[in-house]
Amino acid sequence: MLNPDTLQFVERMGLAIERLGLPRTFGRLFGLLMVADRPLSLDEVAEQLHVSKASVSTNARSAEDIGLARRVGVSAEGLEAVGEVPSPARDRLTEMLDFYLFMGEQIEELLERWREVKG
């Protein structure tokens, strides 16, 4: 639950971004991500902003496309949880994170090629 000052900031960001011609939810999402002390899931953002997960997903994708947000895998949280000491768990999480980052890059390249083909 957002405290009143944080909520006010998030709402003002929504209004400011809306004045620039973007969706208010985009601005609210951006404001929330700016004050968050950790990565948030789409479900958490939807709950905090009282909007649908679909709306959050659409606006998060837009924020990611213009470089204002980035996806963070839960593997990164797992790495923090297991600490710096080498272990089989750390090795598995590192490989999983590397794989997801690799796949994310490949998907972005494929989407770009798809957009070019579709014209």
Side-chain angles (χ1 to χ4, degrees):
M1 182 56 82
L2 299 176
N3 70 47
D5 291 335
T6 303
L7 181 59
Q8 184 177 24
F9 171 77
V10 168
E11 294 302 327
R12 286 186 181 187
M13 284 298 296
L15 292 172
I17 294 295
E18 186 178 48
R19 277 180 254 157
L20 297 174
L22 295 167
R24 183 182 297 186
T25 300
F26 179 92
R28 294 174 69 221
L29 167 68
F30 182 55
L32 179 61
L33 293 177
M34 286 176 43
V35 298
D37 59 357
R38 62 178 178 78
L40 301 173
S41 70
L42 294 180
D43 288 325
E44 290 172 312
V45 173
E47 182 180 326
Q48 292 285 332
L49 298 181
H50 303 288
V51 296
S52 72
K53 186 176 175 180
S55 177
V56 172
S57 179
T58 299
N59 285 285
R61 192 174 310 112
S62 295
E64 185 178 19
D65 288 346
I66 62 174
L68 293 178
R70 65 182 172 87
R71 293 174 196 240
V72 177
V74 293
S75 302
E77 291 178 24
L79 284 171
E80 289 179 22
V82 297
E84 296 292 325
V85 177
S87 69
R90 184 165 185 75
D91 293 343
R92 284 190 304 273
L93 288 166
T94 299
E95 185 171 354
M96 178 190 280
L97 179 58
D98 290 344
F99 174 75
Y100 284 125
L101 292 173
F102 172 79
M103 290 302 292
E105 290 171 9
Q106 298 305 307
I107 289 171
E108 287 301 317
E109 289 177 22
L110 285 171
L111 286 172
E112 187 60 36
R113 286 181 25 209
W114 172 252
R115 290 180 193 118
E116 289 172 6
V117 168
K118 293 300 282 183

